[in-house]
Amino acid sequence: MDMSAYPLELPADDRPMVRFMNVVKSYGRLVVLDQLNLDIAEGEMVTVIGPSGSGKTTVLRMLMTLETINGGVIYIDGKPLTHMERNGVLVPADERHIRKMRASIGMCFQHFNLFPHMTALQNCMEGPVQVLGLSKAEARARSEELLTLVGMIDKKDQHPSRLSGGQQQRVAIARALAMRPKVMLFDEVTSALDPEVIGEVTNVIRKLVAEHNLTMLMVTHQMGFARDISDRICFFYRGKIEEQGPPAALFGNPQKERTKQFLSAVKEAD
Amino acid sequence: MSFDWKWDFTWEILPRLLAATVNTLIAAGAGYAIAVVLGLVLALAQRTPWKPLTLIVREFVEFIRSTPLVLQIFFVFYVGPQFGIRLSPWTSGMIAIGLHYSAYLSEVYRAGIDAVPRGQWEACRAINLSTRDTYFRVIIPQALPPSIAGMGNYLVGIFKDTPMLSVIGVAELMHAANAIGAENYRFLEPYTLVGLIFLAISLPTAGLVRLFEGWVRRKMGM
């Protein structure tokens, strides 16, 4: 693959927070993402929707470096994430480079993935203390502030097994925010929740959108929620962006046949 | 031949057997300590990205598990000196039994680590923990409670295997019973007592391990 076509760093006048450039992801012969090009501006909230198997979650997992990519380059804040410079060209990043770059990204998972042997507070303090090198007192102050933000401060000394799904997810959001990421990823964070607690998680995300200048990328099946809070919706179909645009346009007046089919199928299911 | 149990002989030899029991416990404890630590090293070595190391450790574990403990004890004690490694019976015994059980414990740890959900590893990456912190602060603490039952089995196992150390002259319980038998031409009482002493220690140990497991789980909030 010719890497000379990819800049070592994006120019200052064309520097989105996230850029997928010709990104390919395949498992053997199965191509999950085919030449993906996607920019996300600083502070933008982008939601990815689409049928299952369309590669939505893979987009987030690649950005979190949970998956390696098979082609193209991902840039974060202008700098390559998946690659690093060596002798003037980009080569696949080593673990050290990935660790450095990964510090800008936070992620919340469908199944929360809180550490079960730690309390809510300890879950939030773990990264700041072990990775960022904050003192226990600083990390505690920061974590308590975030647990207050997500409405979980009164449960800070509980272990995850004592919390409901919605409560666990709110702690997980606080844990991710405690690392002060520039980009937050939400991977179907309400899919594993009982219907009556979905609101407590979506309200936290609404608050983040309203009060913080975070860049966010979200995969969700909550179409109403996506429509409310997103700046842009990307409809994925078979590993490509079939259609994208502001929520009002994409939901109100979809242009592509696939998009119309998907939206009407989802509407019926609601 | 009639059953004739001599109580005065029993009382006479009991102190000597109890003294040897202390040696047995020390042997089992020291061997187990080696096995617990070395087993973890072996389990982690099998997960390094460096394939040759993984392969060597894998083969080593298989080799240890496929050959008799008594052979390994003889090997360390009698063959070691040919390579200039001269060890006392005690040291040889501890090393052999510790090595042997480390292979088994590494499998227990491996199963425990494999049982930790993938999401935990991903959460560690998402908050950018180092590999070391991922293992020692997140994965191993969660792998521990499900491993305790297996670790407890091998604790009893190592204790029951200490008589094998008598073959190289370690003065543990079996060694003492053999000596008493040979001196007095009576084996019924010493061997029966050895059996009872092993039973008296093994049985409560298994129960204590279960209590310990429950305590660890509660302590960890799991």
Side-chain angles (χ1 to χ4, degrees):
Chain A
M1 193 171 59
D2 182 21
M3 294 305 295
S4 59
Y6 296 94
L8 300 178
E9 208 167 297
L10 299 181
D13 58 347
D14 180 26
R15 197 176 250 235
M17 183 53 83
V18 178
R19 168 166 288 174
F20 289 87
M21 200 166 165
N22 306 326
V23 172
V24 176
K25 176 67 190 175
S26 53
Y27 297 101
R29 286 170 64 191
L30 176 74
V31 178
V32 183
L33 285 168
D34 187 12
Q35 300 277 333
L36 174 68
N37 285 289
L38 174 65
D39 283 1
I40 302 169
E42 190 179 349
E44 194 181 12
M45 170 71 173
V46 174
T47 298
V48 176
I49 61 169
S52 61
S54 59
K56 312 183 292 287
T57 288
T58 306
V59 175
L60 267 55
R61 293 176 57 84
M62 290 189 312
L63 201 49
M64 191 66 255
T65 66
L66 299 175
E67 306 274 354
T68 54
I69 64 174
N70 305 100
V73 177
I74 302 175
Y75 294 88
I76 296 287
D77 204 8
K79 298 188 185 69
L81 164 76
T82 51
H83 292 71
M84 58 184 189
E85 187 260 319
R86 189 172 291 161
N87 303 324
V89 285
L90 289 179
V91 296
D94 59 18
E95 188 58 29
R96 211 173 125 207
H97 177 84
I98 288 177
R99 266 203 91 200
K100 197 178 92 199
M101 293 301 295
R102 194 158 55 199
S104 320
I105 309 159
M107 183 166 181
C108 293
F109 301 88
Q110 181 176 359
H111 296 289
F112 336 128
N113 300 348
L114 289 178
F115 304 134
H117 57 302
M118 299 181 191
T119 63
L121 182 64
Q122 286 166 341
N123 264 281
C124 295
M125 288 173 60
E126 185 65 13
V129 171
Q130 303 300 331
V131 181
L132 305 181
L134 262 60
S135 72
K136 285 248 168 89
E138 289 170 298
R140 175 184 290 268
R142 179 187 288 194
S143 300
E144 286 181 343
E145 190 184 312
L146 288 164
L147 286 170
T148 308
L149 174 83
V150 300
M152 286 298 295
I153 191 68
D154 53 328
K155 303 263 187 194
K156 69 182 164 76
D157 295 322
Q158 299 284 353
H159 282 88
S161 58
R162 306 293 294 274
L163 303 175
S164 73
Q167 291 172 330
Q168 288 189 56
Q169 194 61 285
R170 285 187 281 152
V171 173
I173 293 172
R175 176 176 70 175
L177 291 173
M179 299 302 287
R180 300 266 160 92
K182 294 177 185 164
V183 182
M184 269 291 279
L185 309 174
F186 295 99
D187 184 17
E188 301 195 26
V189 288
T190 56
S191 295
L193 299 179
D194 291 331
E196 71 271 20
V197 299
I198 287 175
E200 66 188 59
V201 172
T202 53
N203 282 338
V204 167
I205 299 175
R206 279 176 211 273
K207 203 148 98 181
L208 289 178
V209 172
E211 297 168 14
H212 296 260
N213 191 37
L214 266 170
T215 306
M216 293 190 245
L217 185 58
M218 175 168 86
V219 170
T220 187
H221 296 290
Q222 307 278 121
M223 295 302 153
F225 175 54
R227 185 176 188 154
D228 280 358
I229 68 159
S230 308
D231 297 311
R232 180 158 46 118
I233 308 282
C234 292
F235 173 66
F236 268 69
Y237 188 80
R238 291 198 177 159
K240 281 181 179 292
I241 299 177
E242 180 83 1
E243 185 171 353
Q244 59 177 317
L250 194 122
F251 286 112
N253 185 22
Q255 301 298 308
K256 298 276 183 71
E257 202 48 45
R258 302 278 185 208
T259 320
K260 289 177 192 166
Q261 280 172 6
F262 175 74
L263 290 175
S264 69
V266 170
K267 202 179 251 171
E268 265 169 46
D270 265 354
Chain B
M1 193 184 152
S2 65
F3 180 84
D4 104 81
W5 176 276
K6 291 206 167 133
W7 282 105
D8 52 345
F9 182 56
T10 307
W11 298 124
E12 186 191 321
I13 63 173
L14 188 60
R16 195 167 155 196
L17 286 177
L18 288 177
T21 306
V22 174
N23 279 350
T24 288
L25 288 174
I26 292 171
Y32 194 65
I34 293 173
V36 163
V37 175
L38 191 62
L40 185 60
V41 173
L42 293 177
L44 294 180
Q46 288 182 58
R47 301 185 67 97
T48 55
W50 197 52
K51 288 293 157 223
L53 179 66
T54 307
L55 201 71
I56 290 167
V57 172
R58 183 81 240 132
E59 288 305 312
F60 174 77
V61 168
E62 280 309 312
F63 172 75
I64 294 278
R65 297 203 310 159
S66 312
T67 52
L69 171 59
V70 71
L71 175 70
Q72 291 159 13
I73 294 171
F74 277 142
F75 223 86
V76 173
F77 186 61
Y78 290 113
V79 180
Q82 291 201 2
F83 297 94
I85 306 165
R86 248 167 247 286
L87 302 169
S88 70
W90 265 94
T91 315
S92 309
M94 298 305 88
I95 290 176
I97 212 165
L99 213 60
H100 185 80
Y101 274 90
S102 71
Y104 285 95
L105 281 180
S106 78
E107 293 292 292
V108 172
Y109 295 139
R110 204 163 68 101
I113 291 172
D114 285 346
V116 176
R118 202 179 59 157
Q120 292 293 311
W121 296 89
E122 295 184 346
C124 290
R125 296 202 80 179
I127 63 166
N128 220 0
L129 283 186
S130 66
T131 305
R132 198 191 133 130
D133 284 339
T134 298
Y135 272 105
F136 286 97
R137 299 191 55 86
V138 177
I139 303 300
I140 292 174
Q142 291 182 64
L144 201 62
S147 301
I148 290 174
M151 291 173 75
N153 286 342
Y154 287 122
L155 174 62
V156 174
I158 205 167
F159 173 64
K160 287 195 301 174
D161 272 353
T162 48
M164 292 209 199
L165 298 178
S166 65
V167 297
I168 55 167
V170 172
E172 48 64 67
L173 196 47
M174 199 65 205
H175 193 266
N178 283 336
I180 291 168
E183 288 159 19
N184 300 280
Y185 306 105
R186 286 195 65 87
F187 291 92
L188 172 67
E189 291 85 355
Y191 284 168
T192 306
L193 285 177
V194 167
L196 289 174
I197 291 171
F198 269 100
L199 198 65
I201 295 173
S202 295
L203 276 182
T205 303
L208 287 173
V209 167
R210 267 197 299 280
L211 286 178
F212 179 66
E213 185 186 349
W215 179 79
V216 169
R217 281 184 191 276
R218 270 194 308 281
K219 187 96 184 154
M220 288 186 165
M222 291 160 85

